[in-house]
Amino acid sequence: VIFLRGGVSLLRNDSDHEPLFRQESYFWWLMGVKEPDCACMIQLATGRTTLFVPNLPAEYATIMGPLRTCEQWKDLYQVDDVLYTDDVDVTLEAAIQSPTNGSSPKVLVLRGTNSDSGNQYQPPSFESEAVTKSLDEAILFPIFAECRVIKSPKELVLLQQTARITSFAHAYVMRNTKPGMMEYQCESLFQHYAYYNYGSRLFAYTSICG
C-alpha cells in the first residue's frame, strides 16, 4: 500500500494566527485535496483509495460553517472510502495483514531529497509497531519525482493558464506604473490583478520588483 500524509495546519510561532495554508506538493499532485491535515492510502493490488480527514469538533462549525460528513468528502474528491485520521494506524494494519505473492505487504512512504532546494522530505511516523516494521522508504520517492516531471494534458492546460495569468498581471503592472511609485506598490498591483480577476490568492514565488 501507498501512504501519503498531506500538509499540516500551522500557527505563527506562539500566536493563534493561522497563515494561509498551501497543500504539500506531492499530496496535491496525487490527490487534489486542498484542505490541511489529511492523508491517503492507496492499495496497489486493487487501486482502492482511502482519504483520511481530520475529525473536527462540532464547535468548529461556528467559524468554519457546516462541517463535511465523510460521504460529502467522498463525493467531493471521488475516492472509494473516507475515514478519520484517528483511524490511520488501524486501517494500515488491516491492509498489511494478508501476504502478497508469499511476502509481507509493505507500506510505501516518501523519503528523499528535493534536487532544487536540498531539503529532505521526511516520512510520517506511526504509533503502530506493525506498520512501522512494514515501512519502505526507498521505493516511492524516485518514482513519484519522475512521474511529476511528465505532465498530463490537463496539467499542461493548467500550466498554460497560470503562465497566461502571470503575463497579464505583468502587463497590468507595466501599464499602471507611474514615476514616483514605490516597489511595494508595483507588487501590490501584480497581486491585486491576479487575485481580483482570476482568484489566484497564492503565488508560486515572491515578486522581485525594481
Side-chain angles (χ1 to χ4, degrees), residues 3-46:
F3 179 82
L4 210 62
R5 197 178 292 283
V8 298
S9 53
L10 300 172
L11 298 177
R12 188 185 65 207
N13 301 323
D14 64 338
S15 72
D16 64 350
H17 173 265
E18 295 183 21
L20 286 176
F21 174 74
R22 189 163 191 163
Q23 186 59 270
E24 193 281 317
S25 296
Y26 280 99
F27 193 77
W28 173 247
W29 165 77
L30 185 65
M31 297 296 294
V33 174
K34 298 182 294 184
E35 292 80 6
D37 305 316
C38 295
C40 72
M41 179 186 75
I42 301 175
Q43 295 172 277
L44 295 178
T46 62

Side-chain angles (χ1 to χ4, degrees), residues 74-102:
K74 183 177 176 179
D75 291 341
L76 177 62
Y77 289 115
Q78 294 295 292
V79 293
D80 297 298
D81 298 297
V82 173
L83 300 171
Y84 291 118
T85 50
D86 304 335
D87 301 319
V88 163
D89 282 60
V90 67
T91 305
L92 285 173
E93 282 184 350
I96 61 176
Q97 287 302 313
S98 54
T100 303
N101 297 326

Side-chain angles (χ1 to χ4, degrees), residues 99-118:
T100 303
N101 297 326
S103 61
S104 299
K106 296 290 185 182
V107 178
L108 308 182
V109 295
L110 288 175
R111 184 190 187 99
T113 303
N114 185 298
S115 58
D116 293 324
S117 67

Side-chain angles (χ1 to χ4, degrees), residues 7 19 27 35 37 44 48 54 62 101 123 135 146-147 155 163 173 209:
F27 193 77
E35 292 80 6
D37 305 316
L44 295 178
R48 193 169 189 86
T62 305
N101 297 326
L135 292 183
E146 182 66 22
C147 286
E155 285 178 301
V173 173
C209 304

Side-chain angles (χ1 to χ4, degrees), residues 161-196:
Q161 176 65 0
T162 302
R164 189 176 295 113
I165 293 171
T166 303
S167 298
F168 290 164
H170 277 109
Y172 177 79
V173 173
M174 289 187 280
R175 289 196 304 268
N176 290 277
T177 299
K178 303 292 188 292
M181 287 178 62
M182 303 296 288
E183 293 171 350
Y184 69 82
Q185 292 174 305
C186 296
E187 182 180 9
S188 72
L189 288 175
F190 183 89
Q191 294 179 342
H192 166 73
Y193 182 89
Y195 193 9
Y196 184 85

